[in-house]
Amino acid sequence: MSDAWLSTTRDSYDTDAPGYAEKVRGLLDGSPHLRASLTLFADLAREAGGGPVVDVGCGPGYVTRHLHDLGVDAFGIDLSPEMIALARRDYPDLRFEIGTMTELDLADESVAGVLAFWSVIHVPDDAVPGVFREFRRVVRPGCPVLVGFHVGAEASHDTEGYTGRPIDVVSHRRRPEQVAEWLREAGLTIESEWLMRPDDDVPGAIIFARRPV
């Protein structure tokens, strides 16, 4: 935890965990495009041979739960102990661990898929390539990597959480071509790019990549 952004992000999500969990409750129910992306990710992981898939930056665990319900062996990792506590409380049948995406406590080529669902948005530009190299290290050849993120060219700084308590979180918006280039530089192959809600002030994007065989 030597990098300041890791400490401030962890502390902020510890502070705001209940408010964030309430904010995302039911999010997937009203988001057919997000559900479709998760269904495709689950299908790709199965087609590549199956096995455990990791939800990196899982927060309160709702996406991990959704993946499990799609029939994949999903587990979650998050930087925030309070988020992990909520995930374990709400989904006691699933596996959740405290950890950081900059140094995943996973063996090389040990998972059938890596999903980062709007969780790399707090990672500074200079740290993203290392995170993507970690994704490549832990995923098996032929297996998928999904990265979702906010689209744009700037960052926002939030100082108040959903509970009204003070936080200190920077959220980066990025161009899909830049994220794709970082993934390629990490040794992953791009399979598709989805742009969602392009007419919104802050669109979303999902990139599907794969570790080559």
Side-chain angles (χ1 to χ4, degrees):
M1 298 293 292
S2 58
D3 292 305
W5 68 270
L6 283 169
S7 297
T8 56
T9 302
R10 177 201 59 200
D11 294 345
S12 294
Y13 274 99
D14 278 348
T15 296
D16 205 36
Y20 180 85
E22 186 59 33
K23 177 71 175 180
V24 300
R25 191 180 308 278
L27 174 66
L28 293 176
D29 295 338
S31 304
H33 297 92
L34 294 183
R35 295 199 308 273
S37 73
L38 295 173
T39 299
L40 177 56
F41 174 79
D43 288 346
L44 292 171
R46 278 192 293 266
E47 290 171 4
V53 302
V54 59
D55 179 7
V56 179
C58 65
Y62 71 104
V63 172
T64 318
R65 173 85 258 173
H66 189 81
L67 290 171
H68 174 83
D69 291 345
L70 289 172
V72 295
D73 179 16
F75 67 99
I77 294 175
D78 199 271
L79 183 66
S80 163
E82 290 300 321
M83 285 291 191
I84 291 297
L86 289 177
R88 289 171 174 168
R89 181 199 69 187
D90 291 343
Y91 311 111
D93 56 323
L94 301 183
R95 170 185 164 199
F96 296 99
E97 300 175 355
I98 300 167
T100 171
M101 65 180 71
T102 59
E103 294 181 81
L104 292 168
D105 188 18
L106 298 172
D108 295 355
E109 302 181 9
S110 61
V111 296
V114 176
L115 178 127
F117 219 55
W118 277 262
S119 57
V120 298
I121 62 172
H122 305 306
V123 182
D125 285 357
D126 62 354
V128 173
V131 167
F132 287 170
R133 286 194 295 271
E134 276 292 274
F135 291 177
R136 183 191 185 279
R137 179 183 66 80
V138 303
V139 74
R140 294 198 322 254
C143 291
V145 173
L146 183 157
V147 179
F149 54 97
H150 300 309
V151 174
E154 64 284 319
S156 61
H157 183 201
D158 295 315
T159 58
E160 183 178 302
Y162 295 111
T163 59
R165 299 173 66 187
I167 61 172
D168 182 11
V169 170
V170 176
S171 299
H172 299 271
R173 302 170 188 171
R174 296 182 167 114
R175 299 296 185 190
E177 57 268 27
Q178 176 62 79
V179 176
E181 185 59 28
W182 281 328
L183 287 165
R184 291 188 182 100
E185 290 172 355
L188 298 163
T189 300
I190 306 303
E191 295 208 323
S192 67
E193 299 179 13
W194 298 14
L195 179 64
M196 297 178 296
R197 306 181 314 277
D199 294 333
D200 284 6
D201 291 338
V202 183
I206 291 175
I207 295 180
F208 286 87
R210 188 185 297 269
R211 178 171 173 177
V213 177

